[in-house]
Amino acid sequence: MFAFMTRTILAAGIVGTTLGACATQPPPRAYPLKDFFRNPERGFFRLAEDGKTLAFMQPTSVDGNPARMNIYVQPLEGSKLIGEPRQITSETARDISNYFWKGGDVVLYQKDFGGDENYHVLAVNAKTGKVTDLTPYEGARASIEDDLEDDPDHVLISHNQRNPEVFDVYRVNVHTGAAVLVAQNPGNIVGWQTDHAGKVRAAVTSDGLNTTLLYRDDEASEFRPLITTDYRTSVSPSFFTFDDKKMYALSNRGRDRLSLVVIDPAKPDAEEEVFTPDTVDLDGAGYSRKRRVLTLAAYQTDKPQYKFFDAQSEALFKTLSEKLKGYDIALQGSNRDENVFIVAAYNDRTPGSRYLYDAASDTLTKLADINPAIPESDMSQVQPISYQSRDGLTIHGYLTLPKGRDPKNLPCIVNPHGGPWARDGWGYNPETQFLANRGFCVLQMNFRGSTGYGRAFWEASFGQWGLKMQDDITDGVQWLIQQGIADPKRIGIYGASYGGYATLAGVTFTPDLYAAAVDYVGVSNLFTFMKSIPPYWKPMLDKMQDMVGHPERDKDRLAATSPALHADKIKTPLFIAQGAKDPRVNKDESDQMVKALKARGVEVEYMVKDNEGHGFHNDENKFEFYEAMEKFLTEHLKP
């Protein structure tokens, strides 16, 4: 299987259009809201290691409960499905969030409870349907460290059951749940790394402001420090070289951008640089487990890109791209022999289709269209754009214009991303396409601090919540107005998480700019936000306070940039949505903003879901939120 580190990246081709393109066709019809946001009828395909069984998820109602995404299996002959699908899970409270095969008979999946992000890892026998909770610990968060492909009975799981602030590693029997401690966290390890034999050989420690890469020759040895840097310099191990003696890592030591490097434990300061993109950070790299070679590196400019290291991988992508013209290709899994692949074909206007590709017979078998209810031809192109901030930075982003409408004096939604140390990228986004279908233009921008644009651009965000980071968003609004695209009286702002904070900051500190605002699980008070973070974030609290602000040292600035403390300035109609079990942005963040506004007699629409966390995941809650958002934005922006 192609193993990817860090984020999964989808490769992209070029789709060109011009900002001034006039409407030559009438607007498409308004498609039903549920068609944009419902779960696929069949999706999330996974191939068993032996290639003999396909798994997928589909919405299923169990005992009259609302339909949830549950796992099914179906036999395969080559790339041909045979027989009938068989359901192997019966979850009723929430969709299954993630799953994968362990060998040919066991499927591992994750579930949390009400959105609290305290995930359990469960194993289900694909033949008998027997479910075993491998981490049955209340209040603990578990994840899989290594699937131990060569060990049919065990996986490595990390969890914080012993100490809520740190994660230990256990070798767990997937049939019985029996667990043996492999690596105990001394209290400062924030990440573990295994070699290709599944041995825990590297770790990253943090005291908040400094990080150290630890290494050991084998599991019987003590860890020794290799490299120490401050947190602004990243040296992140990704996977071992194929002789298990060195490590591939993402590093920006001595440079602005993240590169793929090889680190030799015998000479840790002499990085061997493998690949650095010309203008952006590297996102990750992949390798072939079977052939034991580096295959590709992934990065994003305006659109995602690949750098191939291996002729066989490059030829595979070329073959698939020729078979699926007009779509971008991503490999989402394979059998252990790496000759049958699950292929995603998508673009900015559709989540696309999923296929099985049999390399031996050169045949492509369609598994499903992810959302056939929404015609690609009626959706809008996502156009990469850039503009200058008031202090001279180049801000990259994406503009989605409503199809069939003249791009002049439009109602527009400004949509800052969450994170904030993340980024928006090119591709299909149901929220963006829904808003465009309703007649709104949508502007997404990678304000300073967004990842992928180098260290200096990221560091430019430190201490700038509500200040220069917000100016970058405001400058995007002014750019839209100057282009003649936006009607200055009909601009709304909508964001989630940090984007929710930016929404509240926008209507607080630029109260005349926006005619409507939607804050989804957003931060409102920088003092209370940093007091209420989950226990496993506490090792990083010093770093957070250095990047955002210290409650005593930076008290005046944090007070000046906390929207809840300046609710008297807000006059824009506001809609707030919040999950009651959100561990990242506590419900109190929304409660105190609503309370402050109501104390002034200002009406604020407030939606709380008791069975959700950091964002709504159950279909009925998603539908209710987007229905309320559509009604709210339509009332105030009149598209």
Side-chain angles (χ1 to χ4, degrees):
M1 185 177 289
F2 284 77
F4 278 86
M5 65 196 189
T6 66
R7 300 186 291 280
T8 301
I9 306 299
L10 304 179
I14 302 298
V15 180
T17 189
T18 59
L19 288 180
C22 291
T24 55
Q25 296 174 321
R29 72 180 180 91
Y31 287 91
L33 177 147
K34 291 180 181 179
D35 286 349
F36 286 92
F37 298 112
R38 69 185 178 191
N39 282 319
E41 286 305 311
R42 189 172 287 193
F44 306 98
F45 296 93
R46 306 281 190 268
L47 200 55
E49 287 182 14
D50 58 11
K52 293 180 179 176
T53 315
L54 183 74
F56 56 86
M57 290 206 287
Q58 70 181 43
T60 308
S61 174
V62 178
D63 298 332
N65 289 288
R68 302 292 180 227
M69 292 301 274
N70 274 290
I71 302 171
Y72 287 71
V73 294
Q74 191 168 0
L76 277 171
E77 280 183 1
S79 58
K80 183 183 177 186
L81 287 162
I82 56 174
E84 290 299 312
R86 194 161 42 82
Q87 182 182 344
I88 61 168
T89 63
S90 298
E91 294 295 333
T92 59
R94 291 171 67 74
D95 293 339
I96 289 173
S97 64
N98 192 22
Y99 78 99
F100 67 91
W101 282 95
K102 170 65 179 169
D105 294 336
V106 175
V107 173
L108 301 177
Y109 70 96
Q110 288 181 289
K111 64 180 280 189
D112 73 342
F113 301 86
D116 64 6
E117 297 184 20
N118 286 324
Y119 291 102
H120 289 212
V121 177
L122 298 95
V124 54
N125 186 297
K127 288 191 165 66
T128 66
K130 180 193 173 193
V131 176
T132 305
D133 188 345
L134 302 181
T135 55
Y137 315 117
E138 189 169 343
R141 176 185 171 103
S143 63
I144 293 165
E145 289 288 334
D146 193 313
D147 61 355
L148 299 182
E149 187 184 35
D150 296 321
D151 179 342
D153 299 317
H154 298 89
V155 291
L156 292 185
I157 293 176
S158 63
H159 60 70
N160 60 344
Q161 188 256 343
R162 180 184 62 86
N163 177 347
E165 294 185 14
V166 297
F167 294 82
D168 304 317
V169 183
Y170 297 82
R171 184 173 282 108
V172 181
N173 186 299
V174 296
H175 310 293
T176 66
V180 175
L181 181 68
V182 171
Q184 181 165 310
N185 198 321
N188 60 350
I189 289 176
V190 294
W192 302 96
Q193 185 65 50
T194 56
D195 64 15
H196 293 286
K199 305 298 182 186
V200 180
R201 297 271 309 286
V204 175
T205 70
S206 174
D207 64 7
L209 297 178
N210 296 289
T211 59
T212 298
L213 175 61
L214 304 180
Y215 171 83
R216 60 184 177 183
D217 295 315
D218 53 59
E219 285 188 333
S221 304
E222 292 293 315
F223 279 113
R224 66 179 191 268
L226 284 189
I227 298 163
T228 296
T229 64
D230 69 24
Y231 74 86
R232 297 173 184 232
T233 298
S234 178
V235 182
S236 176
S238 300
F239 48 87
F240 274 72
T241 55
F242 301 103
D243 60 4
D244 280 333
K245 292 179 179 175
K246 303 176 185 178
M247 285 177 281
Y248 286 102
L250 294 186
S251 170
N252 61 4
R253 268 196 300 177
R255 64 180 79 83
D256 185 58
R257 296 190 304 281
L258 282 171
S259 305
L260 183 65
V261 303
V262 174
I263 294 173
D264 183 346
K267 300 175 289 183
D269 291 328
E271 291 180 349
E272 177 194 336
E273 191 174 331
V274 179
F275 176 68
T276 307
D278 289 338
T279 58
V280 294
D281 288 318
L282 191 66
D283 281 321
Y287 64 92
S288 164
R289 275 179 169 170
K290 180 184 178 185
R291 294 182 291 116
R292 299 168 68 84
V293 295
L294 198 62
T295 53
L296 52 79
Y299 58 100
Q300 299 182 71
T301 53
D302 285 338
K303 297 180 179 180
Q305 312 288 346
Y306 282 160
K307 157 74 175 175
F308 291 98
F309 300 112
D310 165 57
Q312 187 171 325
S313 301
E314 188 169 15
L316 173 63
F317 271 76
K318 186 179 179 187
T319 297
L320 291 170
S321 295
E322 287 171 354
K323 290 178 182 290
L324 296 163
K325 281 188 166 59
Y327 297 94
D328 292 90
I329 304 304
L331 298 182
Q332 296 187 326
S334 77
N335 61 345
R336 187 161 179 165
D337 285 339
E338 293 180 11
N339 57 13
V340 180
F341 301 89
I342 293 171
V343 181
Y346 71 100
N347 60 31
D348 54 341
R349 286 153 290 132
T350 176
S353 305
R354 304 296 178 263
Y355 299 86
L356 268 184
Y357 177 65
D358 187 328
S361 61
D362 190 32
T363 53
L364 201 61
T365 305
K366 184 183 273 195
L367 296 172
D369 295 316
I370 297 303
N371 192 351
I374 304 288
E376 175 186 346
S377 59
D378 278 351
M379 295 298 100
S380 298
Q381 288 190 335
V382 178
Q383 306 171 46
I385 58 95
S386 65
Y387 58 88
Q388 296 301 115
S389 71
R390 65 190 68 181
D391 60 350
L393 288 184
T394 299
I395 307 298
H396 294 271
Y398 300 90
L399 179 66
T400 305
L401 296 170
K403 191 176 177 73
R405 290 175 171 85
D406 197 8
K408 293 176 184 169
N409 287 319
L410 292 168
C412 289
I413 306 297
V414 176
N415 181 212
H417 63 71
W421 304 296
R423 63 159 286 173
D424 273 322
W426 182 89
Y428 180 80
N429 181 325
E431 287 186 340
T432 302
Q433 294 295 345
F434 170 68
L435 291 168
N437 183 249
R438 295 308 193 253
F440 298 100
C441 86
V442 181
L443 177 66
Q444 300 162 286
M445 73 291 290
N446 288 319
F447 44 79
R448 72 191 66 202
S450 299
T451 52
Y453 297 97
R455 187 203 315 226
F457 189 82
W458 172 62
E459 289 184 2
S461 70
F462 293 1
Q464 295 300 319
W465 285 41
L467 300 169
K468 289 182 180 178
M469 292 170 78
Q470 197 68 31
D471 290 345
D472 292 345
I473 297 168
T474 304
D475 293 345
V477 178
Q478 299 301 345
W479 176 84
L480 266 183
I481 294 169
Q482 289 159 10
Q483 297 285 318
I485 296 167
D487 178 346
K489 293 186 173 64
R490 292 191 296 160
I491 298 173
I493 184 168
Y494 158 58
S497 195
Y498 176 83
Y501 167 82
T503 295
L504 295 175
V507 296
T508 304
F509 307 124
T510 50
D512 298 316
L513 197 58
Y514 300 106
V518 180
D519 157 32
Y520 189 24
V521 297
V523 173
S524 73
N525 181 327
L526 297 178
F527 295 101
T528 55
F529 163 62
M530 283 193 281
K531 277 185 188 166
S532 62
I533 60 173
Y536 44 85
W537 282 13
K538 280 189 182 159
M540 313 306 290
L541 185 57
D542 288 346
K543 172 179 166 181
M544 284 282 290
Q545 291 178 345
D546 200 54
M547 294 169 74
V548 180
H550 189 279
E552 287 150 14
R553 187 178 65 238
D554 303 307
K555 181 179 178 182
D556 291 346
R557 173 164 56 76
L558 294 182
T561 53
S562 291
L565 305 183
H566 303 276
D568 58 307
K569 296 178 181 175
I570 296 176
K571 56 187 181 182
T572 306
L574 181 60
F575 168 36
I576 295 177
Q578 177 70 48
K581 293 190 177 177
D582 190 339
R584 298 166 182 248
V585 177
N586 191 281
K587 179 173 174 282
D588 178 58
E589 293 298 307
S590 293
D591 286 349
Q592 60 185 297
M593 178 55 87
V594 171
K595 183 179 178 183
L597 288 169
K598 287 192 170 174
R600 287 176 50 215
V602 174
E603 268 308 303
V604 55
E605 193 172 333
Y606 190 25
M607 177 182 291
V608 178
K609 291 297 172 189
D610 290 336
N611 62 341
E612 296 282 11
H614 198 57
F616 299 169
H617 294 278
N618 286 345
D619 266 2
E620 66 274 15
N621 294 331
K622 287 189 294 184
F623 297 157
E624 189 179 339
F625 168 66
Y626 288 116
E627 283 165 2
M629 182 168 88
E630 179 184 12
K631 182 182 175 189
F632 177 82
L633 292 174
T634 299
E635 177 186 346
H636 295 291
L637 302 180
K638 300 180 172 51

